[in-house]
């Protein structure tokens, strides 16, 4: 292994694109009117929206590998690295939990799982695998975690239901979540949670695929060859994920099935490979510089990714919480008031909902741009 490379523009740009997409799909003007690709698949299957979270876990894995490479080169000991990752995971979990508490601060019914909480758990579970194992050990860990998850989901019987039932709320993961966190699950489902405990196991694998990609970038291979391996690995994951969709478990984001994990990791490898080639690895300096200029907005977003994600969630909650009195005496949420001019446009409601999401995203980008200009980077 060689010294870690300088900060990769491609990684920041890919992270920024992912956060921009996450903010876009999380903040429509009207949840009742969405373009199909801007909503999660109802259950089995996948949409563009379903790619976003696994992409972010993959990116986190790449960043973890590069960061540990730098720290190891600086002489950090493995227990210190493990403690550093554990502290980071605890802070991310706390931020996610606090966002769930707002605005009611009702500890009796607060949702415990969440997107940031899953990122934290994946970081915590992956930390010893990343710090102490070789890339072969990490690849074996991916296989074993996916195998363990498959055994749990297909062979362990749920009381009163049986084994292998993958319907909403009837799988073994949902049963375990209810046993441990009943009353603290996703409010829209109540009996299951898309960020539940058992499905965190294959989600860890999504992060480990990023770690393996990061270790490839740390290798002595020429960058052009690294791109080839990223692309070939991505195609292999797509093929394997599609195969498992047919013979093992369907592609399902809420269950984070092995087929979903592999398919999304395949797309992440291809997307990151293309970004890496265009922004960091292409032999043509002119091409790299041109693509780096074009990707600057995404790089700006990516420099404060977790902060922007958390802030956007907080602002969205406040827009729903703040009530304004109308001339007729009725109350209207600030978010509804801001959406009204978009809703009045002579367009398909799905398009007005999308326009509002784009405007919201533009506001978040303005904040990210100001922070970037002032060199304010919030590290978690």
């Amino acid at each position: 292994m060689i010294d870690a490379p300088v900060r990769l523009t491609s990684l920041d740009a890919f992270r920024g694109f992912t956060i921009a997409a996450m903010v876009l799909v999380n903040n429509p003007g009207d949840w009742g009117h969405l373009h199909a690709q801007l909503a999660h698949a109802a259950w089995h299957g996948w949409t563009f929206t379903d790619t976003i979270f696994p992409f972010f876990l993959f990116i986190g894995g790449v960043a973890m590998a590069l960061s540990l490479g730098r720290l190891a080169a600086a002489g950090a000991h493995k227990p210190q690295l493990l403690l550093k990752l554990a502290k980071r995971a605890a802070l991310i979990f706390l931020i996610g939990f606090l966002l769930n508490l707002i605005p009611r601060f009702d500890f009796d019914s607060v949702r415990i799982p969440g997107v940031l909480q899953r990122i934290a758990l994946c970081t915590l579970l992956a930390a010893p695998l990343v710090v102490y194992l070789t890339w072969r050990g990490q690849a074996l860990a991916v296989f074993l975690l996916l195998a363990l998850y498959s055994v749990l989901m297909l062979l362990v019987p749920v009381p009163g239901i049986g084994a292998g039932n993958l319907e909403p709320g009837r799988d073994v993961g949902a049963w375990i979540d209810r046993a441990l966190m009943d009353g603290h699950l996703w409010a829209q489902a109540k009996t299951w949670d898309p960020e539940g405990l058992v499905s965190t196991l294959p989600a860890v694998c999504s992060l480990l695929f990023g770690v393996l990609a990061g270790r490839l970038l740390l290798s002595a291979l020429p960058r052009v060859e690294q791109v080839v391996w990223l692309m070939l690995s991505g195609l292999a994951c797509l093929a394997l994920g599609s195969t498992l969709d047919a013979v093992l478990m369907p592609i399902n984001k809420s269950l984070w099935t092995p087929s979903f994990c592999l398919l999304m990791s395949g797309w992440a490898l291809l997307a990151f490979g293309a970004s890496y080639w265009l922004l960091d690895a292409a032999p043509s300096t002119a091409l790299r510089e041109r693509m780096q200029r074009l990707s600057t907005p995404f790089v700006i977003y990516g420099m404060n990714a977790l902060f922007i994600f958390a802030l956007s969630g907080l602002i969205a909650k406040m827009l729903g919480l703040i009530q304004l009195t109308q001339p007729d005496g009725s109350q209207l949420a600030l978010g509804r008031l801001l959406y009204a001019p978009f809703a009045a446009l002579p367009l398909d409601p799905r398009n007005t909902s999308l326009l509002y999401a784009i405007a919201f995203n533009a506001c978040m980008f303005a904040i990210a741009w100001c922070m970037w200009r002032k060199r304010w980077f919030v590290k978690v």
Side-chain angles (χ1 to χ4, degrees):
M1 181 178 291
I2 62 174
D3 290 342
V6 297
R7 191 176 187 104
L8 295 175
T9 304
S10 54
L11 185 61
D12 285 328
F14 190 29
R15 184 191 292 111
F17 167 80
T18 304
I19 285 297
M22 191 176 287
V23 172
L24 182 76
V25 302
N26 283 349
N27 297 280
D30 183 355
W31 284 101
H33 294 92
L34 300 175
H35 287 287
Q37 291 299 316
L38 299 181
H40 289 293
W43 192 242
H44 297 322
W46 63 283
T47 67
F48 167 76
T49 299
D50 293 313
T51 69
I52 296 171
F53 195 3
F55 275 22
F56 197 71
L57 284 175
F58 175 89
I59 292 165
V62 176
M64 184 184 294
L66 298 182
S67 174
L68 291 181
R70 293 188 183 96
L71 291 172
H77 297 294
K78 290 182 177 179
Q80 292 176 321
L81 298 178
L82 198 60
L83 181 60
K84 180 182 178 67
L85 291 173
K87 289 180 177 178
R88 182 173 188 267
L91 181 56
I92 293 173
F93 189 96
L94 179 60
I95 293 171
F97 185 71
L98 288 175
L99 284 174
N100 284 355
L101 275 174
I102 297 171
R104 295 182 178 85
F105 291 91
D106 183 359
F107 286 89
D108 291 332
S109 62
V110 62
R111 182 189 177 201
I112 295 175
V115 170
L116 291 178
Q117 293 89 315
R118 168 156 287 180
I119 292 173
L121 287 177
C122 287
T123 300
L124 185 64
L125 293 173
L129 305 178
V130 177
V131 170
Y132 289 104
L133 297 184
T134 65
W135 73 265
R136 291 182 178 85
Q138 291 161 5
L140 178 61
V142 169
F143 173 79
L144 292 177
L145 286 172
L146 293 180
L148 173 61
Y149 175 81
S150 300
V151 169
L152 291 173
M153 294 294 287
L154 297 178
L155 300 181
V156 175
V158 176
I161 297 176
N165 193 315
L166 301 181
E167 296 175 10
R170 297 173 66 84
D171 62 278
V172 70
W175 175 67
I176 291 174
D177 287 340
R178 288 194 298 273
L180 298 177
M181 299 181 291
D182 192 28
H184 297 276
L185 301 177
W186 188 40
Q188 295 184 40
K190 299 186 186 301
T191 60
W192 59 275
D193 197 291
E195 278 79 51
L197 291 174
V198 174
S199 59
T200 298
L201 295 177
V204 171
C205 297
S206 297
L207 187 145
L208 288 176
F209 273 110
V211 170
L212 290 168
R215 291 182 69 105
L216 174 65
L217 301 185
L218 290 170
S219 72
L221 288 175
R223 287 189 167 185
V224 173
E225 290 186 34
Q226 291 175 353
V227 172
V228 172
W229 279 110
L230 287 171
M231 293 299 194
L232 289 176
S233 300
L235 292 173
C237 285
L238 288 182
L240 187 53
S242 299
T243 301
L244 293 183
D245 175 48
V247 303
L248 186 67
M249 279 184 272
I251 294 167
N252 187 303
K253 186 265 180 188
S254 295
L255 299 176
W256 215 284
T257 53
S259 55
F260 175 80
C261 172
L262 286 161
L263 191 79
M264 294 301 111
S265 296
W267 285 121
L269 284 161
L270 291 175
F272 176 63
S275 176
Y276 182 54
W277 166 257
L278 291 171
L279 300 177
D280 290 304
S284 170
T285 302
L287 174 62
R288 293 199 311 272
E289 291 178 347
R290 178 175 176 78
M291 296 309 299
Q292 286 172 3
R293 287 194 298 271
L294 291 174
S295 68
T296 298
F298 291 129
V299 172
I300 292 172
Y301 236 142
M303 297 296 282
N304 281 296
L306 274 176
F307 174 81
I308 292 296
F309 172 71
L311 179 64
S312 68
L314 179 61
I315 291 176
K317 285 198 172 192
M318 292 300 100
L319 291 177
L321 178 66
I322 298 172
Q323 300 288 322
L324 301 176
T325 302
Q326 301 304 295
D328 61 1
S330 63
Q331 297 290 309
L332 184 67
L334 178 58
R336 294 296 87 200
L337 185 65
L338 294 175
Y339 177 56
F342 294 90
L345 294 173
L347 300 173
D348 185 314
R350 295 173 299 176
N351 291 332
T352 59
S353 181
L354 175 59
L355 282 175
Y356 176 87
I358 293 172
F360 187 95
N361 219 331
C363 292
M364 292 299 101
F365 174 77
I367 294 172
W369 181 81
C370 290
M371 295 178 69
W372 177 75
R373 282 293 299 267
K374 293 181 178 295
R375 314 307 292 173
W376 293 346
F377 303 119
V378 180
K379 302 297 182 183
V380 179

